[in-house]
Amino acid sequence: MKRIMITGALGQIGSELTIKLRDIYGADNVLATDIRENDSDAAKGGPFSILDVMDGKKMASLAENHKADTIIHMAALLSATAEANPVFAWNLNMGGLMNALETAREQKCQFFTPSSIGAFGPSTPKDLTPQDTVQRPTTMYGVNKVAGELLADYYYHRFAVDTRGLRFPGLISYVAPPGGGTTDYAVEIYYEAIKNGRYTSYIEQGTYMDMMYMPDALDAIINLMEASPEKLIHRNSFNVSAMSFSPEEISAEIKKHITGFEMSYDVDPIRQSIADSWPNSIDSSAAKEEWGFKAKYDLSSMSIDMLNKLKAKLG
Ligand code: SER
């Protein structure tokens, strides 16, 4: 990876990934793009262009002018937003992906796009969900993710585009907030714990979902993209998870650091039904075997770091 173009660079993952890629590969080698601009380090720390991923022509010309050899396509709607706007989600998630894959094909770029635990559904085995298993999701987001995995594999087999992907769990970070995901409660809880000493969870007790701390997610993207291709049996996409917990377990962890922290519940039926359709915990062994995936943070070490970083950020 030397000349990288990233879409959705100001989103939840992109805001941190852009900075990390610039640190590793050099600021000028990473073109950040997003539909909006802001004053963040990701927008201001190197080349930046406004790009609506629905505009395939502009995407191709930006990649060409940048002499991109790698496309990292992050722009997409998350699960709850997609469920609220299914037609828009299909158009944006699939249209943007198709434009990005076409750009990668035309300009012979390596390609990354994330999939998700949302690519699984109620008929998928729920515990230690295998790498290769039933994928019949019941959400628009999941339908997009499965179609996206198949499309990216298609571009690999049909056009030899070096496509690679990860099925991310809920990602937790203190930098950019997620927007419209089902796993967002596991980020909000830290902010509310520090600001108000309490949190009302829209996810019911006893609901387990996979999660990962952002530094591990960024390392996973970079390590997968750097992995030698002959080692990869799978491509789109690898199961990766660092931990699986329920709302009461993250609450108990936070209580160890914030005395008097209180958790209550006001369940949102839509996000709860999305969560119920996803695995309790996925098996990341293919990622470990094929390119050495390893997560550094568990619930305890992540909570310590999140609370310290957020206390500093929120003053
Ligand atoms: N964090 C995502 C969501 O909740 C899962 O991929 O939508």
Side-chain angles (χ1 to χ4, degrees):
M1 283 203 291
K2 282 199 190 86
R3 298 284 298 175
I4 301 167
M5 181 170 97
I6 175 165
T7 71
L10 306 185
Q12 188 203 6
I13 304 174
S15 327
E16 290 179 66
L17 181 61
T18 301
I19 291 164
K20 179 140 187 159
L21 292 172
R22 284 182 174 148
D23 284 347
I24 298 173
Y25 302 104
D28 289 344
N29 290 323
V30 181
L31 171 63
T33 72
D34 204 289
I35 196 158
R36 67 207 155 94
E37 190 166 5
N38 63 21
D39 288 330
S40 67
D41 294 345
K44 300 297 173 199
F48 178 88
S49 291
I50 295 280
L51 173 65
D52 175 351
V53 293
M54 300 296 281
D55 186 346
K57 273 198 184 133
K58 182 164 182 189
M59 191 188 287
S61 86
L62 285 175
E64 191 178 356
N65 292 340
H66 182 62
K67 298 189 172 49
D69 61 19
T70 304
I71 297 202
I72 299 193
H73 177 57
M74 308 304 292
L77 292 193
L78 287 180
S79 58
T81 318
E83 222 36 47
N85 309 281
V87 176
F88 178 58
W90 174 270
N91 289 337
L92 180 78
N93 289 355
M94 300 316 300
L97 177 61
M98 187 51 114
N99 287 337
L101 281 166
E102 270 298 285
T103 303
R105 180 183 69 77
E106 284 165 7
Q107 305 193 29
K108 307 203 181 328
C109 296
Q110 198 193 20
F111 184 87
F112 176 88
T113 200
S115 184
S116 159
I117 51 171
F120 299 116
S123 53
T124 302
K126 273 204 165 305
D127 297 303
L128 275 182
T129 303
Q131 171 66 37
D132 300 307
T133 186
V134 180
Q135 289 184 270
R136 305 284 298 172
T138 47
T139 62
M140 176 49 87
Y141 179 70
V143 170
N144 297 164
K145 289 302 184 191
V146 175
E149 289 186 7
L150 293 172
L151 199 58
D153 269 350
Y154 174 80
Y155 269 71
Y156 170 63
H157 291 295
R158 176 79 169 76
F159 302 119
V161 179
D162 182 1
T163 59
R164 306 177 184 200
L166 298 169
R167 289 183 189 132
F168 275 133
L171 297 181
I172 294 162
S173 140
Y174 56 88
V175 179
T182 301
T183 55
D184 298 10
Y185 91 88
V187 180
E188 290 169 4
I189 190 171
Y190 290 104
Y191 279 83
E192 293 304 314
I194 288 172
K195 286 197 273 191
N196 303 316
R198 65 181 62 206
Y199 180 65
T200 304
S201 173
Y202 59 81
I203 293 291
E204 182 62 284
Q205 295 186 52
T207 310
Y208 282 82
M209 285 185 277
D210 286 285
M211 304 280 174
M212 191 186 288
Y213 199 31
M214 190 63 84
D216 283 328
L218 303 182
D219 285 344
I221 295 172
I222 289 156
N223 293 339
L224 171 62
M225 292 303 272
E226 294 280 7
S228 44
E230 60 273 12
K231 291 199 176 144
L232 302 181
I233 299 163
H234 297 86
R235 281 182 166 268
N236 302 284
S237 295
F238 284 93
N239 284 7
V240 283
S241 175
M243 61 194 97
S244 165
F245 55 73
S246 61
E248 64 273 25
E249 287 175 0
I250 186 173
S251 162
E253 197 60 44
I254 289 173
K255 259 187 207 151
K256 290 181 190 166
H257 307 283
I258 299 188
T259 23
F261 174 71
E262 278 175 38
M263 177 88 146
S264 56
Y265 296 85
D266 181 12
V267 174
D268 168 18
I270 295 194
R271 284 178 288 184
Q272 183 63 39
S273 76
I274 296 174
D276 288 339
S277 78
W278 290 353
N280 295 330
S281 69
I282 61 173
D283 174 17
S284 315
S285 54
K288 289 176 187 157
E289 284 156 21
E290 292 175 41
W291 51 274
F293 166 69
K294 194 170 168 11
K296 295 193 189 85
Y297 287 90
D298 60 12
L299 177 57
S300 159
S301 51
M302 173 179 77
S303 296
I304 292 168
D305 200 59
M306 261 307 267
L307 292 169
N308 284 340
K309 298 277 173 36
L310 269 184
K311 273 180 200 156
K313 177 177 170 174
L314 302 172

